[in-house]
Structure formats: structure tokens, C-alpha cells
């Protein structure tokens, strides 16, 4: 018997603003300003909720309620960085996926605002047995190039991601698929090599986007620059490093988006992005640096949005780079980092303290992990045992985001206390992602949004031995027991048993000090006050379909 579920989706847009100050000035002023900044913004943020919140003055809210939103026009999103590509089977960042997920491309299923699974291109599904998933497709869907959505199109999409010659870094996510069968024109089956509990969570994520079979043949690997899906927006143009343009799909099978066009404009300078939103030159800007919160809240032209998120931010070690192949060195650095000071001083209490790389809302989160206490003497003892009584020189790589640079400088200062001389390397986002994927780092600052809300997505990408490099395991970490547990978690259907497996995995990763958890992320955005309908889902995707501009 098929499960039928119906939903109305509200999707919208976001922005986050950041400020790019002069690096040398920051270095000189940072330590002096550290406590003052912490206190200032701690006061400014008192009372802010981690739930979905629009914060602005009562006068602004009254003005907004009095003005009816209108549909049409162009929505301009000012962004820190360009997408690295627009191919769901090659894109590895939320930054890129936010441009095409639920706009250009759609999956068989989707998550609603409560993160429950709902129909999308598949109107219903069932499991005849543990190894088989069957989906009934909508019969009124056409790709942007005029090709009808059929079971053959779904079949070709997943055959492409699994094709060794295509060499998709996402192939590992779908390796349990033995065969995709087109039963009839609108019925498709996934035959698995083994039971796989998180399948729906991956199909609902951006990797599960269904591609036009005609476009697959026409563009091949160039599909990254020529995306063709079924979504409410069609790809129009991409000027690398400048902007990406999408236009409304007039033949869309579902509810039409509220605007006619979306422009994702690359604006690296934080203060410029904020100014663009304030003056109305842009409607949404992202990301928002925490140092801009007071400015946004104090403006009559902007509003602040905050919501909870799945993801976490962390400091990682490259296990291929000495001395980080030594557990004592990694543990010593964990003991040397004072995370409470970082959360307050760097992030102004935006987000909350993390104990693993899973956020509390993610299935499989282990709430009882204790983490490493701040203990400089213990850190020094471990370094001496590892053969580094006087410390050593190393480097830390970070993207050019203000908070990340500030975090790097605080870590640099804290590690100096145990004799470690840390060089901070700041890189443009694309170059940063490329460097981590190639293992060109010793220490690094990164984050993981956990797009599916299931621990498997986090564990397989970040810690499985087959995921080294571009797939997400920038640690280049391998542990046979961890690999077996991750694979077991995919096979087990019992929820409680899966939770036990993921708890054990997190305990091992904590013991081996694979990373230093910094904070649980929070979505923050700023909009011009003529924008309505903003929603950022917990995975961090920017959703624009329901956004209106007055």
C-alpha cells in the first residue's frame, strides 16, 4: 500500500552579512578589543531567540503589515562567494547548492519545515521489502528543456552518479544502489545491495536532484555550467565571480514562485553587502557577520532573521601531516583551546557550544559527550610526551570570512601559551575548499551543515575512509572500527539501535581528538525591510520561492 502525503511548501530567501576589515589592523587591534567586543555584543544579543525570529523595531513591523506584498520583479541576493559549480552530483557545499536546490533542481521527495518527508517529484512511495524502494512519479512534470519527467529520466540520473567514468564525488552516497528499474513510464524502483535506512534523507537533499536526460547527453561534465532541472526557476546566465541569474519557469508543475527573476550577486566585501541591503540595491545578503548584528538591528531599513541550524563549526587536523598523526598532539591542542571565550568573544554568543560535529536537532546526536576541558598544564604534558616539550611550528588555513579569521587569530594566541607557533593562512573560499580537498593543510577551520538531518550524512562524509578529500573527509582520517560502525548504521532499521551506533562513533572521534568542536551554528540573515517570506531551513539552504519584494 502506498503512503500518500500532501503538503504546502513555504520556501523563501535569506541573507547574511559580513564585514571584511583590514587584516593587519585586525591583528594589531584584536587582543585589545577582544573583551570589550565580547561584552558589547553579549549585551546587544541578550534575549535573542534561537528559533525563527525577525527582529526589528515595532514601527518597522507596523509599516510592513500595512503594506501588502506584491509578486513579480527581481530579487537580488548579495553573497560572499560564487558557487563552485551547479551540478548536484559534483557540488559539495551548501553555498553552491543554495543556488540550485529547490530552484533549478528538485528531488523525488523533500523535507517540510518540520523536517518530515513529503512528496515532490514522486507523489507516493513504499518499500515492498528491505532491499527495494518504489516511487510513483507525478505525470505532469516537464524539464526546462521540454523533456518529460519519466522513470527513465530518474534511472539515467542515478546511473550517471554511479558511473565510474563520470567520477562523481557523491557516488559513495548511492553505492548501495544495485539497480534502478523503470517498471513503467511513471514507476521506478531502487534495488539495493543491502538495506539502507537513510535513503529518503539523501534523496531529499541536493545530491538527489533529478537531471534532464537530454542535458546529461548534451552537456556531459559541462552540466555544471548548464543546469537543467524541473524546478520553479530556470538557469539563465552565469558570469563567474560576479553573478548567477535564474528566471521563473512559466511551465512549472507546482506553485509558481513569487518573483520573476533571482540574481545571486557576488560581493566579497562585507560592509558593501550590508550597505547594498540598507540602500535597497540588494534585497538579501549572506552571510551576516556577528559584528553586523547591532548595525542591522539599529537600521530602519533592514531586519534581522535568526533561526536554529543543524550544523557545527570546528577546527580540524590533517592526519597526513605531522605531527597531527600523533593523538597526543591532537589531544593537547584540544586541552589548550578555551571554547567558552571563543563563543563569546568571536561569535558574540551567536550559536551555542558544541560537543561533537552533530547538532542537537540531528538524528543520532550524543548529548552526553563531555568534551575536553581547558587545561594548559595537561596540554603541555601531552606535548612533552609526544616529543615536543617546547612546542612546534605549524599553520592553520581558513576562508576569508571575518569570524573565521578572528577565530584563527584567537587560536593562534591560545596555542602560543603551549609553545605552538601558528601561522594563519587566509584564502578565498573557492581556493580554500580546493586546498582542503587536496590535503593542502595542517590545521583548518571548517563547518558542516549536515544537510539531511541524519547522522549518517555527517559520519559518512566526514569520517569514512572512502571519503578522503573532496567528499568531505578533509581530516584524511581512517579508522576500520569507525568505517564498520558507519556502514552498520546504514543497515539497521531500528532507530534506537542506530542511535547507539552513532553515540559510539562520536565517543571514538572525541577520544581520538579528530577535531575541536567550536560551536553549533545558527542561521543569521539580514533583509531589506521591503522583503517578506524569508525562511532558511536548518541545513542552511537559501529558499527563494516564497519571497516577495514590496
Amino acid at each position: 500500500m502506498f503512503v500518500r502525503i500532501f503538503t504546502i511548501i513555504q520556501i523563501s530567501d535569506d541573507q547574511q552579512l559580513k564585514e571584511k576589515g583590514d587584516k593587519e589592523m585586525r591583528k594589531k587591534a584584536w587582543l585589545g578589543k577582544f573583551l570589550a567586543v565580547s561584552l558589547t555584543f553579549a549585551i546587544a544579543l541578550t534575549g535573542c531567540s534561537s528559533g525563527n525570529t525577525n527582529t526589528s523595531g515595532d514601527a518597522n513591523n507596523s509599516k510592513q503589515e500595512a503594506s501588502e506584498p506584491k509578486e513579480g520583479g527581481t530579487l537580488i541576493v548579495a553573497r560572499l562567494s560564487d558557487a563552485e559549480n551547479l551540478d548536484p552530483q559534483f557540488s559539495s557545499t551548501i553555498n553552491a547548492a543554495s543556488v540550485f536546490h529547490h530552484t533549478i533542481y528538485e528531488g523525488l521527495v523533500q523535507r517540510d519545515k518540520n523536517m518530515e518527508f513529503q512528496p515532490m517529484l514522486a507523489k507516493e512511495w513504499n518499500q515492498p521489502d528491505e532491499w527495494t524502494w518504489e516511487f510513483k512519479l507525478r505525470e505532469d512534470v516537464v524539464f526546462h528543456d521540454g523533456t518529460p519527467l519519466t522513470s527513465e529520466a530518474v534511472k539515467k540520473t542515478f546511473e550517471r552518479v554511479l558511473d565510474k567514468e563520470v567520477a562523481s564525488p557523491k557516488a559513495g552516497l548511492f553505492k548501495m544502489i544495485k539497480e534502478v528499474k523503470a517498471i513503467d513510464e511513471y514507476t521506478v524502483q531502487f534495488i539495493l545491495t543491502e538495506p539502507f535506512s537513510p535513503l529518503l534523507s539523501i534523496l531529499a537533499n541536493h545530491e538527489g536532484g533529478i537531471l534532464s536526460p537530454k542535458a546529461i547527453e548534451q552537456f556531459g561534465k559541462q552540466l555544471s555550467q548548464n543546469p537543467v532541472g524541473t524546478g520553479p526557476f530556470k538557469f539563465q546566465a552565469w558570469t563567474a565571480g560576479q553573478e548567477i541569474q535564474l528566471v521563473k519557469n512559466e511551465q512549472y508543475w507546482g506553485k509558481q514562485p513569487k518573483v520573476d527573476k533571482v540574481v545571486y550577486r557576488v560581493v566579497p566585501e562585507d560592509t558593501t553587502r550590508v550597505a547594498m541591503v540598507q540602500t535597497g540595491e540588494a534585497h538579501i545578503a549572506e552571510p551576516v557577520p556577528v559584528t553586523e548584528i547591532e548595525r542591522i538591528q539599529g537600521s530602519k531599513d533592514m531586519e534581522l532573521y535568526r533561526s536554529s541550524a543543524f550544523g557545527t563549526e570546528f577546527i580540524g587536523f590533517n592526519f597526513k601531516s605531522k605531527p597531527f598523526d600523533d593523538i597526543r598532539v591532537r589531544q593537547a591542542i584540544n586541552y589548550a583551546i578555551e571554547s567558552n571565550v571563543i563563543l563569546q568573544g568571536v561569535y558574540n554568543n551567536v550559536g551555542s557550544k558544541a560537543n561533537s560535529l552533530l547538532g542537537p536537532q540531528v538524528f543520532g546526536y550524543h548529548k552526553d559527550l563531555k568534551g575536553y576541558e581547558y587545561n594548559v598544564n595537561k596540554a603541555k604534558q601531552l606535548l612533552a610526551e609526544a616529543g615536543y616539550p617546547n612546542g612546534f611550528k605549524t599553520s592553520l588555513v581558513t576562508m576569508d570570512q571575518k569570524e573565521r579569521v578572528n577565530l584563527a587569530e584567537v587560536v593562534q594566541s591560545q596555542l602560543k601559551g603551549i609553545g605552538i607557533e601558528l601561522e594563519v593562512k587566509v584564502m578565498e573560499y573557492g581556493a580554500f575548499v580546493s586546498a582542503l580537498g587536496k590535503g593542502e593543510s595542517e590545521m583548518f577551520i571548517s563547518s558542516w551543515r549536515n544537510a539531511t538531518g541524519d547522522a549518517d550524512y555527517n559520519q559518512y562524509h566526514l569520517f569514512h575512509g572512502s571519503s578522503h578529500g573532496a567528499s568531505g573527509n578533509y581530516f584524511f582520517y581512517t579508522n576500520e572500527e569507525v568505517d564498520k560502525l558507519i556502514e552498520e548504521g546504514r543497515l539497521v532499521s531500528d532507530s534506537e539501535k542506530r542511535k547507539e551506533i552513532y553515540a559510539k562513533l562520536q565517543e571514538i572521534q572525541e577520544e581520538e581528538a579528530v577535531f575541536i568542536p567550536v560551536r553549533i551554528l545558527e542561521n543569521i540573515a539580514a533583509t531589506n525591510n521591503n522583503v517578506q517570506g524569508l525562511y532558511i531551513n536548518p541545513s542552511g539552504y537559501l529558499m527563494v520561492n516564497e519571497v516577495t519584494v514590496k
Side-chain angles (χ1 to χ4, degrees), residues 492-509:
V492 174
S493 58
D494 181 80
S495 294
E496 293 306 311
K497 176 62 176 175
R498 290 188 76 214
K499 287 179 182 178
E500 292 175 9
I501 291 169
Y502 295 125
K504 177 63 175 175
L505 281 164
Q506 290 168 81
E507 289 168 3
I508 293 171
Q509 290 150 14

Side-chain angles (χ1 to χ4, degrees), residues 94 101 107 109 200-209 451-452 457 539 541:
I94 297 294
H101 186 52
V109 297
L200 288 181
S201 70
I202 295 175
L203 293 179
N205 199 39
H206 72 262
E207 290 96 342
T452 67
Y457 192 78
S539 299
Y541 292 117

Side-chain angles (χ1 to χ4, degrees), residues 211-418:
L211 316 177
S212 162
K214 180 180 177 181
I216 291 174
E217 295 297 324
Q218 181 179 356
F219 298 114
K221 288 192 175 182
Q222 297 307 309
L223 190 64
S224 172
Q225 288 79 42
N226 302 276
V228 182
T230 61
F233 288 96
K234 299 167 65 174
F235 173 76
Q236 185 176 58
W238 185 1
T239 305
Q242 296 183 35
E243 67 179 32
I244 297 171
Q245 299 178 19
L246 310 183
V247 293
K248 181 191 287 188
N249 174 16
E250 299 290 350
Q251 284 72 49
Y252 182 54
W253 61 269
K255 185 179 179 181
Q256 286 284 337
K258 301 288 183 69
V259 296
D260 297 327
K261 185 174 184 177
V262 183
V263 177
Y264 299 91
R265 191 160 291 161
V266 179
V267 184
E269 298 79 14
D270 301 323
T271 53
T272 303
R273 287 200 308 279
V274 175
M276 288 173 68
V277 172
Q278 191 161 17
T279 61
E281 185 180 350
H283 304 105
I284 297 173
E286 62 87 20
V288 173
V290 296
T291 50
E292 289 294 322
I293 288 177
E294 187 174 40
R295 175 181 175 184
I296 296 163
Q297 289 179 317
S299 171
K300 64 181 178 59
D301 301 309
M302 293 185 289
E303 294 180 357
L304 178 69
Y305 171 94
R306 298 178 69 169
S307 68
S308 57
F310 286 152
T312 56
E313 200 155 25
F314 60 93
I315 301 164
F317 304 102
N318 184 347
F319 278 54
K320 294 197 305 179
S321 178
K322 289 184 177 297
F324 302 113
D325 56 343
D326 191 321
I327 187 174
R328 294 167 296 185
V329 172
R330 301 191 304 271
Q331 289 175 335
I333 293 176
N334 266 271
Y335 280 118
I337 299 300
E338 193 169 6
S339 57
N340 287 332
V341 170
I342 288 171
L343 184 62
Q344 182 182 23
V346 175
Y347 294 104
N348 302 315
N349 294 320
V350 173
S352 54
K353 188 174 180 178
N355 66 349
S356 81
L357 295 197
L358 292 173
Q361 297 182 74
V362 176
F363 175 85
Y365 170 72
H366 188 356
K367 64 181 177 62
D368 296 324
L369 286 177
K370 301 301 181 183
Y372 288 79
E373 63 180 352
Y374 177 61
N375 189 330
V376 172
N377 290 333
K378 181 68 173 177
K380 289 180 177 179
Q381 176 190 334
L382 285 166
L383 279 186
E385 291 175 5
Y388 301 96
N390 300 315
F392 55 87
K393 293 182 179 180
T394 189
S395 64
L396 180 147
V397 179
T398 180
M399 63 176 285
D400 55 349
Q401 180 183 359
K402 185 175 179 60
E403 289 96 335
R404 296 273 183 93
V405 175
N406 288 348
L407 170 60
E409 291 170 353
V410 173
V411 170
Q412 183 183 53
S413 176
Q414 291 185 351
L415 293 188
K416 190 175 182 180
I418 60 171

Side-chain angles (χ1 to χ4, degrees), residues 14-156:
D14 58 277
Q15 4 169 304
Q16 294 175 309
L17 305 154
K18 291 179 32 184
E19 177 178 78
K20 210 171 222 176
D22 181 84
K23 183 179 177 185
E24 293 305 317
M25 291 294 290
R26 278 200 309 268
K27 286 184 176 179
K28 294 177 181 178
W30 172 248
L31 291 177
K33 291 182 178 180
F34 188 77
L35 292 176
V37 169
S38 302
L39 292 172
T40 299
F41 285 100
I43 294 169
L45 292 174
T46 299
C48 288
S49 170
S50 63
N52 288 3
T53 309
N54 281 336
T55 58
S56 59
D58 292 338
N60 285 345
N61 289 337
S62 298
K63 178 180 177 181
Q64 184 170 349
E65 290 171 5
S67 177
E68 289 295 323
K70 65 179 182 180
E71 297 188 13
T74 298
L75 175 70
I76 299 175
V77 182
R79 316 180 77 216
L80 169 67
S81 306
D82 200 0
E84 83 275 14
N85 72 67
L86 299 178
D87 187 330
Q89 296 178 357
F90 281 84
S91 176
S92 59
T93 68
I94 297 294
N95 178 61
S98 287
V99 175
F100 62 74
H101 186 52
H102 285 196
T103 51
I104 299 173
Y105 288 112
E106 298 174 309
L108 296 174
V109 297
Q110 62 183 322
R111 297 260 203 173
D112 63 18
K113 284 190 174 181
N114 295 318
M115 300 309 287
E116 299 293 333
F117 295 112
Q118 304 291 356
M120 200 165 206
L121 297 181
K123 58 186 178 181
E124 54 191 66
W125 63 89
N126 76 347
Q127 273 190 278
D129 56 58
E130 285 187 303
W131 296 269
T132 308
W133 291 74
E134 184 170 292
F135 297 85
K136 289 285 188 179
L137 305 179
R138 297 185 61 92
E139 300 177 13
D140 56 349
V141 181
V142 176
F143 287 96
H144 301 155
D145 58 11
T147 307
L149 172 72
T150 64
S151 55
E152 283 293 336
V154 176
K155 186 174 186 288
K156 288 184 179 180

Side-chain angles (χ1 to χ4, degrees), residues 427-492:
M427 304 178 72
E428 179 272 330
Y429 180 73
F432 168 75
V433 172
S434 176
L436 295 193
K438 295 175 183 177
E440 296 171 352
S441 66
E442 294 176 302
M443 293 176 62
F444 58 91
I445 299 172
S446 189
S447 63
W448 188 258
R449 287 279 182 173
N450 205 320
T452 67
D454 189 291
D456 173 73
Y457 192 78
N458 166 288
Q459 291 294 307
Y460 189 85
H461 275 88
L462 295 182
F463 303 110
H464 196 277
S466 67
S467 297
H468 285 185
S471 294
N473 188 344
Y474 299 145
F475 312 105
F476 290 86
Y477 169 73
T478 299
N479 179 310
E480 289 185 6
E481 181 184 4
V482 166
D483 286 356
K484 288 178 182 177
L485 286 169
I486 290 172
E487 290 159 11
E488 184 182 352
R490 295 179 144 199
L491 297 174
V492 174

